[in-house]
Amino acid sequence: MSMDECSKNNSNVRNTWEEIKNEVKVTPTMVFSVIGDSDSFVPRPWPRTVFQTALIDAAKCGGETWILYSGSEQCVSKAVRDAYLKYGNREFGTKNLKRLKDDTNRHIKLISITDTKKKGNPIETVVQCSCENGGLDSFLLEFEKFVSEQEVSFFSQRNDFRMPIPIAIIVCEGDVQTVAHTAEALQHRLPVIIMKGSGKAADLILVYLERSDELRKEAGILFGMKFEDTLFSLLKKYLEIIRENKDLVGVFDLNFDDPLKLSSIIGEAVVSCWSVEKNLTANKQAVEKDTTQIPQETTSEETINSDVLKDSLAMTSSSITMQQLKKNTMKLEKITIKKLIESYKKQPRRDVLDPSFTSPTSLPLYFYFGFQLLQESNQWEECGHILLLEALKENRCDYVRVLLDRGVKLTKKNLPELYAQTVTCETCKFKKHDCFHMQWILKQILPPEAETLCYKYAHAMKRIQRKESSSDKYEDIIKNLKYDPNKSVAASAKRLCCKILQYKALNIEEQNTNEEAMNTSDTSDILLWAIFANRKEIAEICWLRGTDHILSGLICSVLLHKLSKRALRVKEHCLSEDLEEHAKLFEQRCIKIMDGMYREDTKHAAKAMDDEAVIWGVQTSPLTIAYENFMYEIVAHTCSRKNMNRKWYNKLPPNLIQFFKSAFQKKKQFVTAPLTKYIFNYGVLKSESRFRRSYLLRIKRYLNDFWNAVDVLSYILLILALVVRHAVEDIPVARRMFSFSLLIMYLRFLEVFLINHKIGPTLIMIKEMLKDLLRFLLIAFFVVLGVGIYYHANQYPDYQNFWSGGWTEWRIWDLIYYPYWQIYAEINLEYLQAEEPISPGSNNIPPQKDWSVVAVAAAYLLFAHLLLVNLVIAMFSYTFERVQKNSEKLWWYERYTAINDYTWRIPSPINLLCTPCRISRKCKEITCCTQDKKKIWSNDGENEDRQTVTTKEYRTELQRMIACSIYNKI
């Protein structure tokens, strides 16, 4: 090509570049050039949907992305055009065609470079180019080279830090011309992504890279055409060029790779091209320098290689990002670095990435450049939190892990922005609309705190950006959300957590006077955000870097489980299932840690189940939180069993014979053991509780227990019997109520056998079957009532005094009587056929014979015997199998109830003397509770025995070591 032709081509390419920029009103931060349109002689289908999904997902990650294609009616162009249309429909819905190509919210631009006339499209940019000097393919290649030489302000359009525009050529299908295009692009150091599985040229390139000896055979099969020697030699030449530059080629398998993986493949290819280009330039300069300074005849080969290597290492010691900074003569100052990294926040918000398919070079390349800037400048403490914040938003777990390892901490001022951009629902107004996202679920739990997390910051920032007159007011709101110990987002999140768990919030306000500690957030704040945002991988990373892993893991599991139930109430099944799966994941992690601790140190593993700590204002222990939330696997774990036996026998031998022998040797331990109290006392209400939940919740929890409900019923009957006996003086009724109360108390006494390992599970089965029986009786009641009314209405049509006389003489009892006993095969044919004598309650009205009564009775008996009775038997069988399968866990759960009860209970009748003392002591605690709390939180365990603190710290460290050894994420 002559100089004039090159100049003309460059002019055309530059004009095309300016034309596109003027139409779309933005400079790209990523460019994809999709090639491969061709006529096919082989009918081979390929997964176009995977290609379309991968292309759009990668384009979203690239920021302001241009997609170049030929715009023809052939297969590849149709797939690209259809993918772009789907992108618009998903992003903008019915307003897709109204969002023009220069719309700022349309971050992906479709650009058709064609040599034919084409109708205009409001969402697509069409550029008609000249076919001179090589045609469309040659022009596209020149345009791709030109784009790769342009620069863009990568972090923000307003900054001076400029990087080459990343471009990737995506090869899909294609012909021999596509192979030639690929070879020339690689010669100019342009990255190429091959779509494996799309057929023709794309698959042929990969065949040659893997097994070149089968080229002729595969070429004929893939293209379906005959290759002359000249054409075949030319094809082989191009393929050889591609093999020489295979380090710049990325491969995406359409049949096996996930669409999200394309972003990582493109990023790796782009960075690889930049690094190779820089290294080649550096080596070339080093060789030239070496050969000019040293005479050739006096220099050995070893010396040349050594000097070249030394100079090359000196020239290439800086990162790619640093080289660009030096190229743009920018000084590596603190303000400059911070400005560059912070400017990324103004870029369009991207979708949350799946960490399974990300790598350090995955798009967007902001994280790759930002990390290199911080590494070169060593400003982790000053600017690292900005990169960490963006990594948390976009779920870049690899960068989150590395930044936390380097000691980077999130600041308090970052939390409001983090919640506002991840937990808040952008499509719904907080105060007007109800949705089914996490924002609305939190709003139903505690509206003021949910408003602090999801609404206040975003609302205040919008007002400030509009520069309203009351902007000072909103700046104060943002300041409070960031720094106020009581009104901050961190404090609101903890209060919301306590509300969900139904615990009294403790130590929410910051007590630390260290300014640095008050301005930074620890990993527990990030972990709580990850729970509300349901980021599984980040939650695991932060949990592993925290303390008290068993307790914090169980609290996370309970929190997620309760959020799952809340989501299920609003019929948000997908979110509910996802949260429940996350909750089970945390529970299984805790079980694995407990297994490891028990194998390594049994004694401390058992004691760790009672180690209390404050997590997000919740003060509790692992065994307590598990018991309160019916986590049977935790309560029945070997560590918990060891802990319970230690309490039940009060550190005495866990054998009844040895236990009673110790009564003479260790009298105090024997007398205060819960087992001793259990033997000497049974059947009074708990006088004290270790649980720190609200009083209303304690009452609810108490009444939900079957045995406690029986307790309350017997007390109510006893009180009513006393009232009837002495106030009303109705002796027969009082006698019945006394005897019924005594019957209930005898049934209540069955709980004494619950601690027996063999009888206990049987009692649990009976208790669970009673619940099934009550459900059955509820159904049976309405059936019996309906059938009884039908009998009475047709046999006594003129009966009117239905409710006459005393309540024992009401006709309703006769109405229920016959259908009820028919369930137990008492058919009563005389009654049904009206052959029974006149009953006393019928007012001497004889029954009328009606054939329909017998017919309904026959249908009722069929229904009752074959369906209802067998239904309750099936329910009992299912309950039996379920309880039998989990009998061990359920029994240990019930045993912990007894152990926890008798740890604090005083045997009768001594409790009559001790109860007043307890009441007076409780009153004293209430009067001085504020001072006691201050002592507790300010001393931080100062009054405890130093040995106890040391062993507790050892158990905490043991949890951390086992957690790290299991997951290996630190």
Side-chain angles (χ1 to χ4, degrees), residues 144-162:
E144 291 166 351
K145 288 161 49 182
F146 180 83
V147 170
S148 67
E149 295 167 357
Q150 304 307 301
E151 293 182 341
V152 62
S153 299
F154 192 85
F155 289 92
S156 174
Q157 302 289 339
R158 299 180 180 178
N159 288 332
D160 296 329
F161 175 52
R162 305 183 70 81

Side-chain angles (χ1 to χ4, degrees), residues 378-395:
N378 198 26
Q379 295 184 14
W380 300 103
E381 185 176 350
E382 297 85 356
C383 307
H385 64 93
I386 305 171
L387 191 65
L388 177 59
L389 173 64
E390 298 303 321
L392 290 171
K393 288 181 189 176
E394 298 195 16
N395 209 31

Side-chain angles (χ1 to χ4, degrees), residues 27-38:
T27 303
T29 57
M30 187 73 220
V31 176
F32 296 156
S33 179
V34 183
I35 63 173
D37 276 323
S38 60

Side-chain angles (χ1 to χ4, degrees), residues 419 422-425 430 435-455 492-493 495-497 499-500 528-529 531-534 559 562-564 566-567 570 575 579:
Y419 275 94
T422 54
V423 182
T424 304
C425 179
F430 184 84
C435 62
F436 301 122
H437 302 97
M438 184 61 70
Q439 169 184 292
W440 186 74
I441 294 171
L442 298 178
K443 180 183 174 182
Q444 303 306 307
I445 298 171
L446 198 61
E449 309 306 337
E451 184 178 359
T452 301
L453 294 182
C454 305
Y455 175 72
S492 295
R495 279 193 290 270
L496 191 56
C497 171
K499 179 66 177 179
I500 296 170
L528 185 55
W529 161 80
I531 295 298
F532 288 138
N534 197 26
L559 191 59
K562 290 184 178 294
L563 288 172
S564 172
R566 292 273 183 173
V570 296
L575 178 60
L579 291 170

Side-chain angles (χ1 to χ4, degrees), residues 497-504 562 692-694 697:
C497 171
C498 293
K499 179 66 177 179
I500 296 170
L501 297 176
Q502 297 179 319
Y503 267 81
K504 292 181 180 178
K562 290 184 178 294
R692 292 176 172 82
R693 308 179 97 171
S694 62
L697 190 65

